[in-house]
Coordinates of all heavy atoms in Angstrom, one line a residue:
M1 N 120.1 97.7 78.5 CA 119.6 98.1 77.2 C 118.2 98.6 77.3 O 117.4 98.1 78.0 CB 119.7 97.0 76.1 CG 119.2 97.4 74.8 SD 119.5 96.1 73.5 CE 120.6 97.0 72.4
N2 N 117.9 99.7 76.6 CA 116.5 100.2 76.7 C 115.7 99.7 75.5 O 116.2 99.8 74.3 CB 116.5 101.8 76.6 CG 117.0 102.4 77.9 OD1 116.9 101.8 78.9 ND2 117.6 103.6 77.8
Y3 N 114.6 99.1 75.8 CA 113.7 98.6 74.8 C 112.4 99.4 74.7 O 112.0 100.0 75.7 CB 113.3 97.1 75.1 CG 114.5 96.2 75.1 CD1 115.1 95.8 76.3 CD2 115.0 95.8 73.9 CE1 116.2 94.9 76.2 CE2 116.1 94.9 73.8 CZ 116.7 94.5 75.0 OH 117.7 93.6 75.0
K4 N 111.8 99.4 73.5 CA 110.5 100.1 73.4 C 109.5 99.1 73.8 O 109.2 98.1 73.1 CB 110.3 100.5 71.9 CG 108.9 101.2 71.7 CD 108.7 101.5 70.3 CE 107.3 102.2 70.2 NZ 107.0 102.4 68.7
I5 N 108.9 99.3 75.0 CA 107.9 98.4 75.6 C 106.5 99.0 75.4 O 106.3 100.2 75.7 CB 108.2 98.2 77.0 CG1 109.6 97.5 77.2 CG2 107.1 97.3 77.7 CD1 110.0 97.4 78.6
I6 N 105.6 98.2 74.8 CA 104.3 98.7 74.6 C 103.3 97.9 75.5 O 103.4 96.7 75.5 CB 103.9 98.5 73.1 CG1 104.8 99.3 72.2 CG2 102.4 99.0 72.9 CD1 104.7 99.1 70.7
H7 N 102.5 98.7 76.2 CA 101.5 98.1 77.0 C 100.1 98.0 76.3 O 99.7 99.0 75.7 CB 101.3 98.9 78.3 CG 100.3 98.4 79.3 ND1 99.7 99.2 80.2 CD2 99.9 97.1 79.5 CE1 98.9 98.4 80.9 NE2 99.0 97.2 80.5
Y8 N 99.6 96.8 76.3 CA 98.3 96.6 75.7 C 97.3 96.1 76.8 O 97.2 94.9 77.0 CB 98.4 95.5 74.6 CG 99.2 95.8 73.4 CD1 100.5 95.4 73.3 CD2 98.6 96.6 72.4 CE1 101.3 95.8 72.2 CE2 99.4 97.0 71.3 CZ 100.7 96.6 71.2 OH 101.4 96.9 70.1
P9 N 96.7 97.1 77.4 CA 95.8 96.8 78.5 C 94.6 95.8 78.1 O 94.2 95.0 78.9 CB 95.2 98.1 79.0 CG 96.1 99.1 78.5 CD 96.8 98.6 77.2
N10 N 94.2 96.0 76.9 CA 93.1 95.1 76.4 C 93.5 93.6 76.3 O 92.7 92.7 76.5 CB 92.5 95.6 75.1 CG 93.5 95.6 74.0 OD1 94.7 96.0 74.3 ND2 93.1 95.4 72.8
K11 N 94.8 93.4 76.1 CA 95.3 92.0 76.0 C 96.0 91.6 77.4 O 96.4 90.5 77.5 CB 96.3 91.9 74.9 CG 95.8 92.1 73.5 CD 96.7 91.5 72.4 CE 98.0 92.3 72.2 NZ 98.7 91.8 71.0
Q12 N 96.1 92.6 78.3 CA 96.8 92.4 79.5 C 98.2 91.9 79.3 O 98.7 90.9 79.8 CB 96.0 91.5 80.5 CG 94.7 92.1 80.9 CD 94.1 91.4 82.1 OE1 94.2 90.2 82.3 NE2 93.3 92.1 82.9
R13 N 98.9 92.6 78.4 CA 100.3 92.3 78.0 C 101.2 93.5 77.9 O 100.7 94.5 77.5 CB 100.3 91.5 76.7 CG 99.9 90.1 76.8 CD 99.7 89.4 75.5 NE 100.7 89.5 74.5 CZ 101.0 88.5 73.6 NH1 100.4 87.3 73.8 NH2 101.8 88.7 72.7
F14 N 102.5 93.3 78.2 CA 103.5 94.2 77.8 C 104.3 93.5 76.7 O 104.7 92.3 76.9 CB 104.4 94.5 79.0 CG 103.7 95.4 80.0 CD1 102.9 94.9 81.0 CD2 103.9 96.8 80.0 CE1 102.2 95.7 81.9 CE2 103.3 97.7 80.9 CZ 102.5 97.1 81.9
E15 N 104.6 94.2 75.6 CA 105.3 93.6 74.5 C 106.5 94.4 74.1 O 106.6 95.6 74.1 CB 104.4 93.4 73.3 CG 103.2 92.5 73.6 CD 102.3 92.3 72.3 OE1 102.6 92.9 71.3 OE2 101.3 91.6 72.5
I16 N 107.5 93.6 73.5 CA 108.6 94.2 72.8 C 108.7 93.5 71.5 O 108.7 92.2 71.5 CB 110.0 94.0 73.6 CG1 110.0 94.7 74.9 CG2 111.2 94.4 72.8 CD1 111.1 94.4 75.8
E17 N 108.8 94.2 70.4 CA 109.0 93.6 69.1 C 110.4 94.0 68.6 O 110.8 95.2 68.5 CB 107.9 94.1 68.1 CG 108.0 93.3 66.8 CD 106.9 93.7 65.9 OE1 105.7 93.8 66.3 OE2 107.1 93.7 64.7
I18 N 111.1 93.0 68.2 CA 112.4 93.1 67.6 C 112.6 92.2 66.4 O 112.4 91.0 66.5 CB 113.5 92.8 68.6 CG1 113.4 93.7 69.9 CG2 114.9 92.9 68.0 CD1 114.4 93.4 71.0
G19 N 112.9 92.8 65.3 CA 113.1 92.0 64.1 C 111.9 91.1 63.7 O 112.1 89.9 63.3
G20 N 110.7 91.6 63.9 CA 109.5 90.8 63.5 C 109.2 89.7 64.6 O 108.2 89.0 64.4
M21 N 109.9 89.6 65.7 CA 109.6 88.7 66.7 C 109.1 89.5 67.9 O 109.5 90.6 68.2 CB 110.9 87.9 67.2 CG 111.4 87.1 66.0 SD 113.0 86.2 66.5 CE 114.1 87.6 66.2
T22 N 108.2 88.8 68.7 CA 107.5 89.5 69.8 C 107.8 88.7 71.1 O 107.6 87.5 71.2 CB 106.0 89.6 69.6 OG1 105.7 90.3 68.4 CG2 105.3 90.3 70.7
A23 N 108.3 89.5 72.1 CA 108.5 89.0 73.4 C 107.4 89.7 74.3 O 107.0 90.8 74.0 CB 109.8 89.3 74.0
Y24 N 106.9 89.0 75.3 CA 105.8 89.6 76.1 C 105.8 89.0 77.5 O 106.3 88.0 77.8 CB 104.5 89.3 75.4 CG 104.1 87.9 75.2 CD1 103.5 87.2 76.2 CD2 104.4 87.2 74.0 CE1 103.2 85.8 76.1 CE2 104.1 85.9 73.8 CZ 103.4 85.2 74.9 OH 103.1 83.9 74.7
A25 N 105.1 89.8 78.3 CA 104.8 89.4 79.7 C 103.3 89.6 79.8 O 102.7 90.7 79.6 CB 105.5 90.3 80.7
E26 N 102.6 88.5 80.1 CA 101.1 88.5 80.3 C 100.8 88.6 81.8 O 101.5 88.0 82.6 CB 100.5 87.2 79.8 CG 100.4 87.2 78.3 CD 99.6 85.9 77.9 OE1 100.0 84.8 78.4 OE2 98.7 86.0 77.1
Y27 N 99.8 89.4 82.1 CA 99.4 89.5 83.5 C 97.9 89.4 83.6 O 97.1 89.4 82.7 CB 99.8 90.9 84.0 CG 99.2 92.1 83.4 CD1 98.0 92.6 83.8 CD2 99.8 92.7 82.3 CE1 97.4 93.7 83.2 CE2 99.3 93.8 81.7 CZ 98.1 94.3 82.2 OH 97.5 95.4 81.6
Y28 N 97.5 89.2 84.9 CA 96.1 89.1 85.2 C 95.8 90.0 86.4 O 96.6 90.0 87.4 CB 95.8 87.6 85.6 CG 94.4 87.3 86.1 CD1 93.3 87.5 85.3 CD2 94.2 86.9 87.4 CE1 92.0 87.2 85.7 CE2 92.9 86.6 87.9 CZ 91.8 86.8 87.0 OH 90.6 86.5 87.5
L29 N 94.8 90.8 86.3 CA 94.4 91.7 87.4 C 93.3 91.1 88.3 O 92.3 90.7 87.7 CB 93.9 93.1 86.8 CG 94.9 93.9 86.0 CD1 94.2 95.1 85.4 CD2 96.1 94.3 86.9
H30 N 93.6 91.0 89.6 CA 92.5 90.5 90.5 C 92.9 90.9 91.9 O 94.0 91.0 92.3 CB 92.4 89.0 90.4 CG 93.7 88.2 90.7 ND1 93.9 87.7 91.9 CD2 94.7 87.9 89.9 CE1 95.1 87.1 91.9 NE2 95.6 87.2 90.6
D31 N 91.8 91.2 92.7 CA 91.9 91.5 94.1 C 93.0 92.6 94.4 O 93.8 92.5 95.3 CB 92.3 90.3 94.9 CG 91.2 89.3 94.9 OD1 90.0 89.7 94.7 OD2 91.5 88.1 95.0
G32 N 93.0 93.6 93.5 CA 94.0 94.7 93.7 C 95.4 94.4 93.4 O 96.3 95.0 93.9
S33 N 95.6 93.3 92.7 CA 97.0 92.9 92.4 C 97.2 92.7 90.9 O 96.3 92.5 90.1 CB 97.4 91.6 93.1 OG 96.6 90.5 92.6
L34 N 98.5 92.8 90.5 CA 98.9 92.5 89.1 C 99.7 91.3 89.2 O 100.8 91.3 89.8 CB 99.7 93.7 88.5 CG 100.1 93.5 87.0 CD1 100.0 94.8 86.3 CD2 101.5 92.8 86.9
D35 N 99.3 90.2 88.6 CA 99.9 88.9 88.7 C 100.5 88.6 87.3 O 99.8 88.4 86.3 CB 98.9 87.8 89.1 CG 99.5 86.4 89.2 OD1 100.7 86.2 89.0 OD2 98.7 85.5 89.5
I36 N 101.8 88.5 87.2 CA 102.4 88.1 85.9 C 102.3 86.6 85.8 O 102.8 85.9 86.7 CB 103.9 88.5 85.8 CG1 104.0 90.1 85.8 CG2 104.6 87.9 84.6 CD1 105.4 90.6 85.7
I37 N 101.5 86.2 84.8 CA 101.2 84.8 84.7 C 102.1 84.1 83.6 O 102.2 82.8 83.6 CB 99.7 84.6 84.3 CG1 99.3 85.3 83.1 CG2 98.9 85.0 85.5 CD1 97.9 85.0 82.6
H38 N 102.8 84.8 82.7 CA 103.6 84.2 81.7 C 104.5 85.2 81.1 O 104.1 86.3 80.8 CB 102.7 83.6 80.6 CG 103.4 82.8 79.6 ND1 104.1 81.7 79.9 CD2 103.5 83.0 78.3 CE1 104.7 81.2 78.7 NE2 104.3 82.0 77.7
T39 N 105.8 84.8 80.9 CA 106.7 85.6 80.1 C 107.2 84.8 79.0 O 107.3 83.5 79.1 CB 107.9 86.2 80.9 OG1 108.5 85.0 81.5 CG2 107.5 87.1 82.0
F40 N 107.4 85.4 77.8 CA 107.9 84.6 76.7 C 108.9 85.5 75.9 O 108.6 86.7 75.6 CB 106.7 84.2 75.7 CG 107.2 83.7 74.4 CD1 107.7 82.4 74.4 CD2 107.3 84.4 73.3 CE1 108.2 81.8 73.2 CE2 107.8 83.9 72.1 CZ 108.2 82.6 72.1
V41 N 110.0 84.9 75.6 CA 111.0 85.6 74.8 C 111.4 84.6 73.7 O 111.8 83.4 74.0 CB 112.3 86.0 75.6 CG1 113.3 86.6 74.7 CG2 111.9 87.0 76.7
P42 N 111.3 84.9 72.4 CA 111.7 84.0 71.4 C 113.2 83.5 71.6 O 114.0 84.4 72.0 CB 111.6 84.8 70.1 CG 110.6 85.8 70.4 CD 110.8 86.2 71.8
P43 N 113.5 82.3 71.3 CA 114.8 81.8 71.5 C 115.9 82.7 70.9 O 117.0 82.9 71.5 CB 114.8 80.4 70.9 CG 113.4 80.0 71.1 CD 112.6 81.2 70.9
A44 N 115.7 83.2 69.8 CA 116.7 84.0 69.1 C 117.0 85.3 69.8 O 118.0 86.0 69.6 CB 116.2 84.4 67.7
L45 N 116.1 85.7 70.8 CA 116.3 87.0 71.5 C 116.7 86.8 73.0 O 116.8 87.7 73.7 CB 115.0 87.8 71.5 CG 114.5 88.2 70.1 CD1 113.2 89.0 70.2 CD2 115.5 89.1 69.4
E46 N 116.8 85.5 73.4 CA 117.1 85.2 74.8 C 118.5 85.8 75.2 O 119.4 86.0 74.3 CB 117.1 83.7 75.0 CG 115.7 83.1 75.0 CD 115.7 81.6 75.2 OE1 116.7 81.0 75.2 OE2 114.5 81.1 75.3
G47 N 118.7 86.0 76.4 CA 120.0 86.5 77.0 C 120.3 87.9 76.8 O 121.4 88.4 77.0
Q48 N 119.3 88.7 76.4 CA 119.5 90.2 76.2 C 118.8 91.0 77.2 O 118.6 92.2 77.1 CB 119.0 90.5 74.8 CG 119.7 89.8 73.7 CD 119.2 90.2 72.3 OE1 118.9 91.3 72.0 NE2 119.0 89.1 71.5
G49 N 118.2 90.4 78.3 CA 117.6 91.2 79.3 C 116.1 91.6 79.0 O 115.5 92.4 79.7
I50 N 115.6 91.0 78.0 CA 114.2 91.3 77.5 C 113.2 90.9 78.5 O 112.3 91.7 78.9 CB 113.9 90.8 76.1 CG1 114.9 91.4 75.1 CG2 112.5 90.9 75.7 CD1 114.9 90.8 73.7
A51 N 113.2 89.7 79.1 CA 112.2 89.3 80.0 C 112.3 90.2 81.3 O 111.2 90.5 81.8 CB 112.4 87.8 80.4
G52 N 113.5 90.6 81.7 CA 113.6 91.4 82.8 C 113.0 92.8 82.6 O 112.4 93.4 83.5
A53 N 113.2 93.3 81.4 CA 112.7 94.7 81.0 C 111.2 94.6 81.0 O 110.5 95.5 81.5 CB 113.2 95.1 79.7
L54 N 110.6 93.5 80.5 CA 109.1 93.4 80.5 C 108.6 93.3 81.9 O 107.6 93.9 82.2 CB 108.7 92.2 79.6 CG 108.9 92.3 78.1 CD1 108.9 91.0 77.5 CD2 107.9 93.2 77.5
T55 N 109.2 92.5 82.7 CA 108.8 92.3 84.1 C 108.8 93.6 84.9 O 107.9 93.9 85.6 CB 109.6 91.2 84.7 OG1 109.5 90.0 83.9 CG2 109.1 90.9 86.1
E56 N 109.9 94.3 84.7 CA 110.1 95.6 85.4 C 109.0 96.6 85.0 O 108.4 97.3 85.8 CB 111.4 96.2 85.2 CG 111.7 97.4 85.9 CD 113.1 98.0 85.9 OE1 113.8 97.5 85.0 OE2 113.4 98.8 86.7
A57 N 108.7 96.6 83.7 CA 107.7 97.5 83.2 C 106.3 97.2 83.7 O 105.6 98.1 84.1 CB 107.6 97.5 81.6
A58 N 106.0 95.9 83.8 CA 104.7 95.5 84.4 C 104.6 95.9 85.9 O 103.6 96.4 86.3 CB 104.5 94.0 84.2
Y59 N 105.7 95.6 86.6 CA 105.6 96.0 88.1 C 105.7 97.5 88.3 O 105.2 98.0 89.3 CB 106.7 95.2 88.8 CG 106.3 93.7 88.9 CD1 107.3 92.7 88.8 CD2 105.0 93.3 89.2 CE1 107.0 91.4 88.9 CE2 104.7 92.0 89.3 CZ 105.6 91.0 89.1 OH 105.3 89.7 89.2
E60 N 106.3 98.2 87.4 CA 106.3 99.7 87.5 C 104.9 100.2 87.3 O 104.4 101.0 88.0 CB 107.2 100.3 86.5 CG 108.6 100.5 86.9 CD 108.9 101.4 88.1 OE1 108.2 102.4 88.2 OE2 109.7 101.1 88.9
Y61 N 104.2 99.6 86.3 CA 102.8 99.9 86.1 C 102.0 99.6 87.3 O 101.1 100.4 87.8 CB 102.3 99.1 84.9 CG 100.8 99.2 84.7 CD1 100.3 100.4 84.0 CD2 99.9 98.3 85.1 CE1 98.9 100.5 83.8 CE2 98.6 98.4 84.9 CZ 98.1 99.5 84.2 OH 96.7 99.6 84.0
A62 N 102.2 98.4 88.0 CA 101.5 98.1 89.2 C 101.8 99.1 90.3 O 100.8 99.5 90.9 CB 102.0 96.7 89.6
K63 N 103.0 99.5 90.5 CA 103.4 100.5 91.5 C 102.6 101.8 91.3 O 102.0 102.3 92.2 CB 104.9 100.7 91.5 CG 105.3 101.6 92.6 CD 106.8 102.0 92.5 CE 107.7 100.9 93.0 NZ 109.1 101.4 93.0
V64 N 102.7 102.3 90.1 CA 102.0 103.6 89.8 C 100.5 103.5 90.0 O 99.9 104.5 90.4 CB 102.3 104.0 88.3 CG1 101.5 105.1 87.8 CG2 103.8 104.3 88.2
N65 N 99.9 102.3 89.7 CA 98.5 102.2 89.9 C 98.1 101.5 91.2 O 96.9 101.1 91.3 CB 98.0 101.3 88.7 CG 98.0 102.1 87.4 OD1 97.1 103.0 87.2 ND2 99.1 101.9 86.6
E66 N 99.0 101.5 92.2 CA 98.8 101.0 93.5 C 98.2 99.6 93.5 O 97.3 99.3 94.2 CB 97.9 102.0 94.3 CG 98.5 103.3 94.4 CD 97.7 104.3 95.2 OE1 96.6 104.0 95.6 OE2 98.1 105.5 95.4
L67 N 98.8 98.7 92.7 CA 98.4 97.3 92.6 C 99.6 96.5 93.2 O 100.7 96.9 93.1 CB 98.3 96.9 91.1 CG 97.2 97.6 90.3 CD1 97.4 97.3 88.9 CD2 95.8 97.1 90.8
K68 N 99.2 95.5 94.0 CA 100.2 94.6 94.6 C 100.8 93.7 93.6 O 100.1 93.1 92.8 CB 99.5 93.8 95.7 CG 100.5 92.9 96.5 CD 99.8 92.2 97.6 CE 100.9 91.3 98.2 NZ 100.3 90.5 99.2
P69 N 102.1 93.6 93.5 CA 102.8 92.7 92.6 C 102.6 91.3 93.0 O 102.9 90.9 94.2 CB 104.2 93.2 92.6 CG 104.4 93.7 93.9 CD 103.1 94.4 94.3
K70 N 102.3 90.4 92.1 CA 102.2 89.0 92.3 C 102.9 88.3 91.2 O 103.1 88.9 90.1 CB 100.7 88.5 92.4 CG 100.0 88.9 93.7 CD 98.8 88.1 93.8 CE 98.4 88.1 95.3 NZ 97.3 87.2 95.6
A71 N 103.2 87.0 91.4 CA 103.9 86.3 90.3 C 103.5 84.8 90.3 O 103.7 84.1 91.2 CB 105.4 86.4 90.5
T72 N 102.8 84.4 89.2 CA 102.5 83.0 89.0 C 103.6 82.5 88.1 O 104.0 81.3 88.3 CB 101.1 82.9 88.3 OG1 100.1 83.4 89.2 CG2 100.8 81.4 88.0
C73 N 104.1 83.3 87.2 CA 105.2 82.9 86.3 C 106.4 82.6 87.1 O 106.8 83.4 87.9 CB 105.4 84.0 85.3 SG 106.9 83.9 84.3
S74 N 107.1 81.5 86.8 CA 108.3 81.2 87.5 C 109.4 82.2 87.4 O 110.2 82.5 88.3 CB 108.8 79.8 87.1 OG 109.1 79.7 85.8
Y75 N 109.5 82.8 86.2 CA 110.5 83.9 86.0 C 110.2 85.1 86.8 O 111.1 85.6 87.5 CB 110.6 84.3 84.5 CG 111.6 85.4 84.3 CD1 112.9 85.2 84.0 CD2 111.2 86.8 84.3 CE1 113.8 86.2 83.9 CE2 112.1 87.8 84.2 CZ 113.4 87.5 84.0 OH 114.3 88.5 83.8
A76 N 109.0 85.5 86.9 CA 108.6 86.6 87.7 C 108.8 86.4 89.2 O 109.1 87.3 89.9 CB 107.1 87.0 87.4
V77 N 108.6 85.2 89.6 CA 108.8 84.8 91.0 C 110.3 85.1 91.4 O 110.6 85.8 92.4 CB 108.5 83.3 91.3 CG1 109.0 82.9 92.7 CG2 107.0 83.1 91.2
V78 N 111.2 84.6 90.6 CA 112.6 84.8 90.8 C 112.9 86.3 90.7 O 113.7 86.9 91.5 CB 113.5 84.0 89.8 CG1 114.9 84.4 89.9 CG2 113.2 82.5 90.1
W79 N 112.4 87.0 89.7 CA 112.6 88.4 89.5 C 112.2 89.2 90.7 O 113.0 90.1 91.2 CB 111.9 88.9 88.3 CG 112.3 90.3 87.8 CD1 113.3 90.6 86.9 CD2 111.9 91.6 88.3 NE1 113.4 91.9 86.7 CE2 112.6 92.5 87.6 CE3 110.9 91.9 89.2 CZ2 112.4 93.9 87.8 CZ3 110.7 93.3 89.4 CH2 111.4 94.3 88.7
L80 N 111.1 89.0 91.3 CA 110.6 89.7 92.5 C 111.5 89.4 93.7 O 111.8 90.3 94.5 CB 109.2 89.3 92.9 CG 108.1 90.0 92.1 CD1 106.7 89.5 92.5 CD2 108.1 91.5 92.4
K81 N 112.1 88.2 93.8 CA 113.0 87.9 94.9 C 114.3 88.8 94.8 O 114.9 89.2 95.7 CB 113.3 86.4 94.9 CG 112.2 85.6 95.5 CD 112.6 84.1 95.5 CE 111.4 83.3 96.0 NZ 111.6 81.9 95.9
R82 N 114.7 89.0 93.5 CA 115.9 89.8 93.3 C 115.6 91.3 93.3 O 116.6 92.1 93.4 CB 116.4 89.4 91.9 CG 117.0 88.0 91.8 CD 117.6 87.8 90.4 NE 118.1 86.4 90.4 CZ 118.2 85.7 89.3 NH1 117.9 86.2 88.1 NH2 118.7 84.5 89.3
H83 N 114.4 91.7 93.3 CA 114.0 93.1 93.3 C 112.9 93.4 94.4 O 111.8 93.7 94.1 CB 113.5 93.6 91.9 CG 114.5 93.4 90.9 ND1 114.7 92.2 90.1 CD2 115.4 94.3 90.4 CE1 115.6 92.4 89.3 NE2 116.1 93.6 89.4
P84 N 113.3 93.2 95.7 CA 112.4 93.4 96.8 C 111.8 94.8 96.9 O 110.8 95.0 97.5 CB 113.2 93.0 98.0 CG 114.6 93.2 97.6 CD 114.7 92.9 96.1
E85 N 112.4 95.7 96.2 CA 111.8 97.1 96.2 C 110.4 97.2 95.6 O 109.7 98.1 95.8 CB 112.8 98.1 95.5 CG 113.0 97.9 94.0 CD 114.1 96.9 93.7 OE1 114.5 96.1 94.5 OE2 114.5 97.0 92.5
Y86 N 110.0 96.2 94.8 CA 108.7 96.1 94.2 C 107.7 95.5 95.1 O 106.5 95.5 94.8 CB 108.8 95.5 92.8 CG 109.4 96.4 91.8 CD1 110.7 96.3 91.6 CD2 108.6 97.3 91.1 CE1 111.3 97.2 90.7 CE2 109.2 98.2 90.2 CZ 110.5 98.1 90.0 OH 111.1 99.0 89.1
L87 N 108.1 94.8 96.2 CA 107.2 94.1 97.1 C 106.5 95.1 98.0 O 107.0 96.1 98.4 CB 107.9 93.0 97.8 CG 108.4 91.9 96.9 CD1 109.2 90.9 97.7 CD2 107.2 91.2 96.3

């Protein structure tokens, strides 16, 4: 499913808003890398691929900006293992 993902560089977050609820992936930039530190999807929106879409958007941004992908967030760690093309 395609979601409208909005990047807020000032908050270091990628967000999706659905039905008044906000899902997001927070990141931290350091040493030439983009580290996803937290993903959050409201329980009512779970199981729809939203966390994956947010994570992919963040790592696409990293790729375009020549930043190394990192993952502190446990979800992002697993996502990167499943998508080695981003490493």
